[in-house]
Amino acid sequence: MDVCLSYSCHIDDELAKFMKRVNPPRVVIDNEVCENVTVIKVDSANKHGILLEVVQVLTDLNLTIKKAYISSDGGWFMDVFNVTDQDGNKVTDEIVLGYIRKSLGPDDSSCYSPRSTIGVKQSVDFTVIELTGTDRPGLLSELCAVLMDLQCNVVNAEIWTHKAKAAAVLQVTDEETCSAVTDPERLSQIRKLLGYVLTGGSRSRRSREPKTTVSSSVDETYADRKLHQLMFADRDYDEWEGNSVGGDEDKSGRVVPHVDVSNLHDLEYSVVMIKCKDRPKLLFDTVFTLTDMKYVVSHASIDAEGPEAYQEYYIRHTDGSPVKSEAERQRVIKCLKAAIQRRVSEGLKLELCTSDRVGLLSDVTRIFRENSLTVTRAEVKTKGGKALNTFYVKDASGYQVDAKTIDAIRQVIGQTILQVKGGNTEAKQSSQESQTGFLFGVFKSRSFVNFGLIRS
């Protein structure tokens, strides 16, 4: 039996290679046909997940997809994307255009990777930690403090919170060796202590069991894909209330995305209609969710030229059937709403740029916690010895972030090190602003009580 299965897989693989040789992918990039956008056309033999692969490539390059027309019914896949760069201009960078042609065209050689062209180096010298659990104020600070005590340095991380759930993917190195942690006993200790932090020291039967995965092997899954999967597995979509399209706002006052699913019985399709505020990576999040739920997008139309995005998908199961029941319909609606909202950045955006060191993330998040700020989302990167971190913070009590608090935090960390980006709270720079701050300058005290920043 095993021989038959192996032989069948080999035949399928050879058939796929033959189809690719007979019908090689074709990528056309046109900067002349439209005045304000770059048009990218992709034709290739169809396969499950190919739309996600194309969207992933464009997303990795931080391109904004203004419009898209997708048709992949039958054996052929045809896509048209109207894209711009982050500044809203046509894409003219030859490195970026070359990568698109290489990755989506017939010469999809793995040696020509976006990581090498856009300056992100892929490495196996780190330990991957995946976490899911119930969110609470100060959780990130506590997790970082435990890792610092365990002599682990966080080199890259992405943290999401949604509907009282938290998920994180972290890449850490050993403080002494600057490489992955490989000792089984130490990995077990990391897993045990982080799991205890996620429970908050509580053994209540009502709380959902947190999940902690620690591995010294490299998982090729992208962090954002993994975060979607972690939150999906933790059933954060169950928190959405009501049915049908939904109201304009949820209990917290956030605008709820409009999602509806209906069946076209004559054509045996299910039609998914989405209307929501546009944001970066929105298309990736919805396409990934449908693909991960084993749906095939046969046709789609995307319009995101204004502040709102409109997405229309014609989907089927991988077995060719449409959505089969009302319960399944509601599940698709809830899962898409959750996928849209997970990446929404709530709170004040703070950017930190300074020299990296062990314990940096622990110190910064502790300052946030001691000033009653909670982190709703974070992205931590280390490049060339520099820490490039982005935090979205909110007042733990639910009030608007106080400008005086932010100004006091920046005085400690450093006015030029921690910058406020956007939002209604803009901390005014002091006439005697600190260029390096106590934390990163002469004083490196482990306690910040003496700085008078802790709220009563």
Side-chain angles (χ1 to χ4, degrees):
M1 184 66 177
D2 292 338
V3 174
C4 292
L5 289 175
S6 176
Y7 179 75
S8 176
C9 292
H10 176 72
I11 291 297
D12 290 341
D13 185 54
E14 290 300 317
L15 180 60
K17 292 179 180 178
F18 174 75
M19 289 295 294
K20 188 172 182 178
R21 289 195 299 269
V22 174
N23 300 299
R26 186 171 67 97
V27 179
V28 177
I29 301 177
D30 193 334
N31 264 322
E32 303 297 330
V33 67
C34 291
E35 182 179 355
N36 300 318
V37 298
T38 298
V39 178
I40 301 175
K41 302 177 183 178
V42 183
D43 298 339
S44 72
N46 191 19
K47 65 176 182 179
H48 180 59
I50 187 171
L51 173 60
L52 178 60
E53 293 178 9
V54 175
V55 173
Q56 178 83 72
V57 168
L58 300 179
T59 301
D60 285 346
L61 295 170
N62 295 318
L63 301 182
T64 301
I65 300 174
K66 295 294 187 179
K67 280 191 175 184
Y69 306 94
I70 296 152
S71 179
S72 59
D73 217 355
W76 198 249
F77 172 83
M78 294 178 288
D79 273 9
V80 179
F81 297 92
N82 292 357
V83 304
T84 64
D85 61 19
Q86 288 181 296
D87 298 322
N89 302 317
K90 290 184 178 183
V91 183
T92 57
D93 189 326
E94 284 302 325
I95 294 179
V96 173
L97 297 177
Y99 169 67
I100 294 173
R101 294 187 184 97
K102 287 283 186 178
S103 58
L104 301 180
D107 301 326
D108 55 343
S109 173
S110 60
C111 65
Y112 195 93
S113 72
R115 300 180 183 276
S116 61
T117 55
I118 62 178
V120 181
K121 183 179 180 182
Q122 188 175 15
S123 173
V124 298
D125 295 329
F126 52 74
T127 298
V128 179
I129 301 176
E130 300 170 7
L131 305 169
T132 55
T134 302
D135 187 32
R136 68 175 188 276
L139 176 60
L140 178 59
S141 174
E142 295 175 26
L143 292 170
C144 293
V146 168
L147 289 171
M148 185 183 69
D149 289 340
L150 292 170
Q151 289 80 51
C152 293
N153 185 38
V154 180
V155 293
N156 295 294
E158 194 158 348
I159 299 98
W160 290 358
T161 63
H162 177 245
K163 294 290 184 181
K165 311 273 187 192
V169 176
L170 306 96
Q171 297 174 357
V172 304
T173 58
D174 179 82
E175 178 182 343
E176 183 177 352
T177 65
C178 296
S179 60
V181 180
T182 57
D183 179 55
E185 292 187 4
R186 192 175 174 196
L187 291 174
S188 178
Q189 184 185 26
I190 294 172
R191 185 182 302 108
K192 178 181 177 180
L193 293 179
L194 291 179
Y196 188 75
V197 170
L198 286 170
T199 63
S202 171
R203 299 298 181 183
S204 172
R205 294 182 179 180
R206 293 184 179 181
S207 60
R208 185 182 292 272
E209 186 70 21
K211 295 181 181 179
T212 308
T213 303
V214 182
S215 174
S216 58
S217 61
V218 176
D219 188 349
E220 296 297 336
T221 305
Y222 287 80
D224 47 8
R225 290 192 186 192
K226 181 59 69 174
L227 286 165
H228 274 302
Q229 291 171 343
L230 289 172
M231 288 201 138
F232 180 86
D234 205 24
R235 302 180 67 89
D236 68 323
Y237 56 86
D238 279 345
E239 300 296 327
W240 287 101
E241 297 179 354
N243 51 23
S244 188
V245 180
D248 293 331
E249 294 183 353
D250 63 9
K251 292 181 179 180
S252 62
R254 296 184 305 178
V255 177
V256 176
H258 289 250
V259 181
D260 195 21
V261 178
S262 59
N263 280 353
L264 292 178
H265 297 287
D266 294 341
L267 299 177
E268 294 187 347
Y269 286 114
S270 292
V271 183
V272 178
M273 303 289 293
I274 299 174
K275 176 185 176 183
C276 64
K277 183 179 179 181
D278 191 31
R279 61 163 175 78
K281 300 186 178 182
L282 175 64
L283 182 59
F284 168 83
D285 292 337
T286 54
V287 170
F288 172 78
T289 299
L290 291 171
T291 304
D292 211 44
M293 293 178 70
K294 309 302 180 185
Y295 291 104
V296 177
V297 177
S298 298
H299 303 279
S301 176
I302 312 298
D303 186 352
E305 289 191 309
E308 288 189 318
Y310 300 87
Q311 300 182 356
E312 181 180 28
Y313 298 100
Y314 290 75
I315 65 171
R316 292 171 173 165
H317 282 284
T318 50
D319 63 5
S321 63
V323 172
K324 300 176 182 178
S325 66
E326 178 61 21
E328 182 185 353
R329 174 179 172 271
Q330 292 299 330
R331 186 169 183 264
V332 173
I333 291 174
K334 288 182 177 182
C335 289
L336 284 171
K337 284 184 176 182
I340 292 168
Q341 290 294 90
R342 283 176 195 143
R343 204 195 291 264
V344 172
S345 304
E346 293 188 353
L348 186 67
K349 183 179 181 181
L350 303 176
E351 290 185 354
L352 182 143
C353 180
T354 187
S355 298
D356 186 42
R357 63 173 175 81
V358 176
L360 171 64
L361 189 59
S362 176
D363 288 337
V364 172
T365 54
R366 184 171 66 250
I367 294 177
F368 293 160
R369 182 190 65 196
E370 291 174 344
N371 285 272
S372 298
L373 297 184
T374 181
V375 178
T376 61
R377 184 176 161 224
E379 185 176 349
V380 176
K381 293 182 179 180
T382 304
K383 180 180 178 182
K386 286 284 187 180
L388 309 170
N389 302 343
T390 301
F391 304 95
Y392 292 87
V393 298
K394 295 176 67 177
D395 189 287
S397 302
Y399 299 105
Q400 184 178 358
V401 178
D402 184 53
K404 293 182 179 179
T405 301
I406 296 297
D407 187 61
I409 291 174
R410 294 182 68 211
Q411 287 289 338
V412 173
I413 295 177
Q415 297 277 4
T416 59
I417 291 174
L418 186 67
Q419 298 285 336
V420 180
K421 300 292 183 180
N424 296 325
T425 304
E426 293 289 349
K428 294 181 180 180
Q429 293 190 357
S430 170
S431 59
Q432 296 179 344
E433 75 172 26
S434 168
Q435 295 298 316
T436 57
F438 294 112
L439 177 61
F440 303 97
V442 178
F443 303 102
K444 294 184 179 179
S445 171
R446 305 264 316 160
S447 173
F448 297 95
V449 177
N450 296 329
F451 293 134
L453 292 177
I454 303 178
R455 290 183 179 177
S456 59

